[in-house]
Amino acid sequence: MTQEELNMLMNSDNLDEIAIQDKEATPQESTTSETSGIDVENYRVEADKKWPPPPPTEDHKVVHQLDDVTKDSEVKATQIFDQLEIMGSAADNATKKLKQVKKFLESQEELFGKLCESFPHVQTFAKTMEEILNNKNAIKEIISCCDDVSDASMQAMDIMQYQDIHRQKIERVINVMRALAQYMNSLFEGKIDDSKRVSSAVYISGDNKDDIASDDDIEALIASFGNK
């Protein structure tokens, strides 16, 4: 009991009014004690901030966050695999179509080659023959690009396999943290239920508090109650 509380009791004529005031003030004091002046909604963790620790909200629970990371990363990895598979399949299909076009151009090249030999003075045949050769070279380059895309998608899938390894490492960390939490709970477990324990004193002998009521002050307070 502080000196201020003691003086209030000694100067009051209505103890019931004091009890009502204390009862009304209790929720406010409890809220202040729970929040400790921390804005829980807008709390931000900072590396150089040692105190206070983050409140145990959903955004700061470590295991919850790691569980979300493993779950979300697995979902996103599956989506990436699907997109890579679509890219590789599209590149393979494009390569097949281009090979068909290349085969047609080769037949045209053979045909116009004979025409150029038979009619060397016809410029149309020579010009068409040149266009066929140019298109064959272009198709060859496009097929090479499609092969590069297909190979890159396969390599990306192989690289994405490391995501599964990372997930397993995070799950190992989660299991270790959960085992430690269960061990600490078991270590500090008591035989008496917390609801049946006596509440701790706010101030005890030896505390360096100037506003703590002394034994003489408490005896004077009790004596004043007897005189009323």
Side-chain angles (χ1 to χ4, degrees), residues 39-87:
D39 188 357
V40 177
E41 297 296 332
N42 300 319
Y43 184 90
R44 179 178 297 177
V45 178
E46 298 178 5
D48 58 347
K49 195 172 183 180
K50 298 180 179 180
W51 191 264
T57 59
E58 294 297 326
D59 294 336
H60 299 136
K61 291 183 178 180
V62 180
V63 175
H64 285 193
Q65 294 293 309
L66 293 176
D67 286 335
D68 290 341
V69 169
T70 55
K71 180 180 178 181
D72 294 341
S73 62
E74 187 174 0
V75 172
K76 297 301 180 182
T78 302
Q79 294 175 355
I80 292 174
F81 274 117
D82 293 340
Q83 296 301 317
L84 291 173
E85 187 176 357
I86 293 173
M87 292 171 57

Side-chain angles (χ1 to χ4, degrees), residues 189-209:
E189 183 180 3
K191 296 182 179 180
I192 303 175
D193 187 76
D194 290 340
S195 60
K196 298 179 180 180
R197 292 184 180 276
V198 179
S199 60
S200 302
V202 178
Y203 301 115
I204 60 177
S205 178
D207 290 340
N208 186 16
K209 295 290 183 179

Side-chain angles (χ1 to χ4, degrees), residues 2 40 135:
T2 63
V40 177
N135 288 328

Side-chain angles (χ1 to χ4, degrees), residues 66-116:
L66 293 176
D67 286 335
D68 290 341
V69 169
T70 55
K71 180 180 178 181
D72 294 341
S73 62
E74 187 174 0
V75 172
K76 297 301 180 182
T78 302
Q79 294 175 355
I80 292 174
F81 274 117
D82 293 340
Q83 296 301 317
L84 291 173
E85 187 176 357
I86 293 173
M87 292 171 57
S89 178
D92 293 339
N93 291 333
T95 300
K96 293 179 181 179
K97 298 296 183 182
L98 288 170
K99 287 181 178 180
Q100 293 177 0
V101 176
K102 182 181 178 182
K103 188 176 181 179
F104 169 76
L105 290 176
E106 288 175 348
S107 64
Q108 294 297 306
E109 180 184 4
E110 183 179 358
L111 173 62
F112 279 92
K114 293 179 180 179
L115 291 174
C116 289

Side-chain angles (χ1 to χ4, degrees), residues 101-102 104-113 116 125-141:
V101 176
K102 182 181 178 182
F104 169 76
L105 290 176
E106 288 175 348
S107 64
Q108 294 297 306
E109 180 184 4
E110 183 179 358
L111 173 62
F112 279 92
C116 289
F125 293 158
K127 185 177 180 180
T128 303
M129 185 67 178
E130 184 180 358
E131 291 177 353
I132 290 173
L133 294 175
N134 291 334
N135 288 328
K136 279 185 62 179
N137 292 331
I139 289 177
K140 183 178 180 180
E141 293 178 358

Side-chain angles (χ1 to χ4, degrees), residues 19-31:
I20 295 174
Q21 291 175 356
D22 289 343
K23 185 176 181 180
E24 292 176 350
T26 300
Q28 182 178 1
E29 292 175 357
S30 176
T31 304

